[in-house]
Amino acid sequence: MSIQCIIQTIKSYDTIIIHRHVRPDPDAVGSQAGLKEIIRRSFPDKNVYIAGEGDSSLDFLASMDGIDDHTYKGALVIACDTANAARIDDQRYNMGEKLIKIDHHPEVDSYGDVMWVDTSASSTCEMIYDLCQHAKNDGFVFSDEAARLIYAGIVGDTGRFLFPSTTKKTFQHAAELVTYNFDRPNLYDGIYNIKENIAKLQGYILQQFELSGSGLSTVKLTKELMDKYRVSPNETGQLVGVLGNIEGIKAWVLFIEEEDIIRVRLRSKGPAINEIAAKYNGGGHPMASGATVETWEETDKVIKDLNQVCLNYKA
Ligand code: AMP
């Protein structure tokens, strides 16, 4: 079973480098840094690193390690929360001796020597907690800091236990995690507090949005608009949920204009939208996906496809 194989593989390596996806979220960093914390606590002699570009909005969770290329020689690399190899941050993930994939997204790429993909898990953090539970007899220990990181990822990816991906197991894990000593209000502040300019752009979106007859809403964030509100493309993660409670909405999409691409952030309350994401160079979950297009003309095609799935959808 892959979970046992992962436990034994972790035990057998002295150097372990943990990656996650580009444009990280609390589940990506929480699973990555949570796993590092667990391994370090359990096996203090191992060298464990977390790789990828830092994101200042997630500094409250963990800071990335600077890693030389030669550190990868003979190392075990673990990629957390990333369905496709092209989205692993950074791309040195394949310079190690062995590669493990741990993820809860629908499979896009079968990369890695060992793969553990569980799409029934609410989050990769939920899987990391499972892993630690299974590994208790192998010397794995948990800590307050691991609980903080893992809890952050579960809260982040379930939308505070709101999304349908939240299961009995998610709540059971959460119930155990809150028995550890960490500052929950402070953690929530880190995840949910937003800057004034983001709040103002949220207000703009709520003022301007329109709902089509099919139940689709489309938001176009041009470079000009984001400059006006001084919001960076990475910060738009804090805007994407803003339309979720509008009565009658079935799906919505944010188009975010970057230097040479337009990022597509898709969300749904019913129709599966990940196949549309896959059609436009992306992927993700049925209710939360992302993609990339090159031109505004192409965004019209995405809107047409989304309208169609909304029209076809029967609750
Ligand atoms: P986001 O809007 O960035 O929060 O992404 C929502 C979900 O879609 C997350 O599970 C991401 O991992 C996934 N996702 C976003 N962009 C892409 C992409 N270009 N390719 C594959 N999956 C993506």
Side-chain angles (χ1 to χ4, degrees), residues 21 23 84 87 105 265 267 281-285 288-292:
H21 62 76
R23 305 199 302 255
N84 40 335
R87 292 190 79 233
H105 294 92
R265 300 188 106 132
R267 294 294 185 271
N281 249 325
H285 303 285
S289 307
T292 309

Side-chain angles (χ1 to χ4, degrees), residues 155-170:
V155 166
D157 253 33
T158 60
R160 297 180 246 189
F161 309 104
L162 184 72
F163 303 151
S165 56
T166 309
T167 63
K168 179 179 170 186
K169 192 203 241 182
T170 317

Side-chain angles (χ1 to χ4, degrees), residues 52-197:
E53 198 180 323
D55 181 321
S56 59
S57 71
L58 294 170
D59 279 350
F60 69 96
L61 285 179
S63 306
M64 298 300 120
D65 297 310
I67 308 164
D68 292 335
D69 286 359
H70 74 257
T71 309
Y72 282 83
K73 199 162 185 285
L76 168 65
V77 177
I78 304 176
C80 288
D81 199 40
T82 315
N84 40 335
R87 292 190 79 233
I88 302 176
D89 187 8
D90 54 53
Q91 284 291 307
R92 293 178 300 171
Y93 71 89
N94 58 7
M95 282 171 48
E97 187 176 270
K98 197 162 198 169
L99 177 63
I100 294 176
K101 172 188 189 182
I102 303 178
D103 187 29
H104 75 124
H105 294 92
E107 187 102 288
V108 178
D109 278 354
S110 299
Y111 67 83
D113 304 297
V114 183
M115 282 175 283
W116 178 31
V117 175
D118 180 0
T119 54
S120 73
S122 69
S123 50
T124 302
C125 278
E126 187 173 306
M127 297 173 70
I128 300 296
Y129 191 65
D130 275 340
L131 179 87
C132 197
Q133 299 288 87
H134 275 86
K136 270 187 188 155
N137 293 336
D138 284 282
F140 279 54
V141 293
F142 207 65
S143 67
D144 293 336
E145 174 61 0
R148 186 182 79 90
L149 292 160
I150 296 299
Y151 188 79
I154 293 177
V155 166
D157 253 33
T158 60
R160 297 180 246 189
F161 309 104
L162 184 72
F163 303 151
S165 56
T166 309
T167 63
K168 179 179 170 186
K169 192 203 241 182
T170 317
F171 282 119
Q172 283 169 334
H173 282 4
E176 287 173 25
L177 290 165
V178 296
T179 64
Y180 286 84
N181 185 22
F182 65 92
D183 187 342
R184 249 184 300 156
N186 187 268
L187 188 65
Y188 291 135
D189 283 349
I191 303 174
Y192 295 110
N193 278 4
I194 52 168
K195 290 197 219 123
E196 219 178 295
N197 55 330

Side-chain angles (χ1 to χ4, degrees), residues 261-281:
I261 55 141
I262 299 170
R263 193 190 298 183
V264 186
R265 300 188 106 132
L266 303 146
R267 294 294 185 271
S268 171
K269 301 281 274 201
I273 34 98
N274 54 337
E275 278 174 21
I276 296 177
K279 186 172 163 189
Y280 296 94
N281 249 325

